[in-house]
Amino acid sequence: MNLPRKPGIPHPRLPLPEGQQEDLAVFQQWLSDAIPMVSSLGISEMLRQSDQLTWQLALEPSLNDKGTGFGGALSAQTTLQGWCWVTLWLREQGIARDVVVAEATQRFLAPVTDNYRLVCTPAEPEGSSQLAQQLEERGKGRIALTHQLYCGEMLCLEASGNYAVLPSR
């Protein structure tokens, strides 16, 4: 697509997958077009299994002056990953809605020194079903998600976010 982005102009939505499994490569390309900074984040792979979204990322685009992961880039990645988790979940339900982050926090545990993986899951096991119920009853909803960033087996960052699904326009 590669449309130039302009402030105040929404990017066209990606068509819903219509009963078939989401092609994450197509979604990632759309995401890069919709949010220009995505192509600079180093996401090499997206994998969705059940209620888990996992990204593999290259460290190089997020290096800081010390040669480790820059906290601001890592924070942006966790926030975006949560947004993607909710958006992909909605798409699986056949719902095209706007999603926004309402709150996000990060806790840095160890330096990120190599390529890494970022794992996003609902904070509560029943988070998805609660979100579905909220959408059915109120036409909008929220879900709390957690993120864990691993370098190899070392947990380097824990993050949490609260994401809102807005009512239909």
Side-chain angles (χ1 to χ4, degrees):
M1 201 177 276
N2 291 331
L3 299 173
R5 294 303 319 274
K6 294 183 181 176
I9 308 292
H11 191 71
R13 288 187 192 269
L14 183 64
L16 290 171
E18 301 287 333
Q20 56 193 352
Q21 188 170 358
E22 185 82 50
D23 183 334
L24 292 178
V26 170
F27 178 79
Q28 187 173 345
Q29 181 57 56
W30 172 84
L31 189 64
S32 292
D33 293 341
I35 304 171
M37 72 179 268
V38 168
S39 60
S40 301
L41 293 179
I43 304 167
S44 61
E45 181 182 16
M46 285 188 187
L47 177 63
R48 183 142 168 81
Q49 295 176 311
S50 185
D51 264 357
Q52 179 173 300
L53 178 61
T54 303
W55 289 359
Q56 298 292 330
L57 295 111
L59 174 59
E60 189 175 350
S62 299
L63 284 173
N64 65 16
D65 58 317
K66 296 160 205 61
T68 61
F70 173 57
L74 304 176
S75 295
Q77 291 165 353
T78 61
T79 301
L80 178 66
Q81 187 187 41
W83 182 91
C84 287
W85 188 100
V86 178
T87 299
L88 288 166
W89 180 87
L90 288 167
R91 291 172 60 73
E92 286 174 1
Q93 315 310 307
I95 301 169
R97 297 284 278 285
D98 287 332
V99 176
V100 296
V101 60
E103 182 179 0
T105 61
Q106 300 80 31
R107 189 170 142 225
F108 298 90
L109 306 170
V112 177
T113 58
D114 202 351
N115 296 341
Y116 51 97
R117 77 182 180 284
L118 190 55
V119 180
C120 178
T121 57
E124 301 293 329
E126 63 279 353
S128 299
S129 58
Q130 289 175 348
L131 179 58
Q133 184 176 357
Q134 292 169 16
L135 290 171
E136 186 176 316
E137 292 174 358
R138 299 190 324 236
K140 61 182 181 177
R142 283 184 179 237
I143 187 167
L145 300 174
T146 61
H147 310 269
Q148 295 180 312
L149 185 155
Y150 294 92
C151 267
E153 296 307 310
M154 179 174 286
L155 179 61
C156 297
L157 177 148
E158 291 179 316
S160 62
N162 193 315
Y163 296 83
V165 178
L166 302 179
S168 296
R169 298 186 237 171

